[in-house]
Amino acid sequence: ADLTGADLYRADLTGANLYRADLSGADLSGADLTRADLTRANLTRANLTRANLTRANLTGADLYRAHLYRAHLTGADLYRAHLTGAHLTGADLTGADLYRAHLTGAHLTGAKANPYTRWPDGFDPKTAGVLL
């Protein structure tokens, strides 16, 4: 699906199949994407501020410079996701799988995590400002 720049503010997309969807530049702020399949989706520069991505599948998704301020990513699968330059300030990453995710230049100050949050090898969440 080509949803480039779409206005999906506070949309209910619970369980939606957005596999490989192009959501670059889309406004998904406040959207409910609980359990949505966003595998390999293009979310570059998308606004996901305060979006609910609880248990969403973001495997291999491109979130380059995406805005995820205070987003709920509890239990989300971000395996191999591209989060280069993404803004995750205050995001809830408890139990999220970020193994092999690309976090170069990601802003994680104030993001929340717990012992079940899985990080890329060699990544130090404390140095990045994550609250454990």
Side-chain angles (χ1 to χ4, degrees):
D2 184 357
L3 297 166
T4 305
D7 182 1
L8 297 165
Y9 173 76
R10 298 193 68 184
D12 184 356
L13 297 166
T14 304
N17 181 0
L18 295 164
Y19 175 81
R20 296 190 71 165
D22 188 350
L23 292 152
S24 56
D27 182 6
L28 291 152
S29 55
D32 189 351
L33 291 151
T34 304
R35 294 182 317 276
D37 183 1
L38 291 154
T39 304
R40 298 182 65 194
N42 180 359
L43 291 154
T44 57
R45 300 182 192 267
N47 183 359
L48 292 148
T49 300
R50 296 183 187 260
N52 186 353
L53 292 149
T54 301
R55 289 188 231 123
N57 186 350
L58 292 146
T59 301
D62 189 350
L63 291 145
Y64 173 77
R65 293 199 173 210
H67 295 276
L68 293 143
Y69 297 110
R70 296 192 178 191
H72 300 280
L73 291 150
T74 307
D77 188 350
L78 292 149
Y79 177 79
R80 290 192 179 201
H82 297 274
L83 292 153
T84 304
H87 299 275
L88 292 145
T89 305
D92 187 349
L93 298 167
T94 55
D97 184 0
L98 290 129
Y99 186 66
R100 291 199 169 173
H102 303 276
L103 295 169
T104 305
H107 306 276
L108 291 154
T109 305
K112 293 178 254 171
N114 66 4
Y116 301 106
T117 304
R118 193 170 173 207
W119 300 101
D121 290 336
F123 181 79
D124 182 7
K126 286 183 183 178
T127 303
V130 176
L131 306 174
L132 300 170

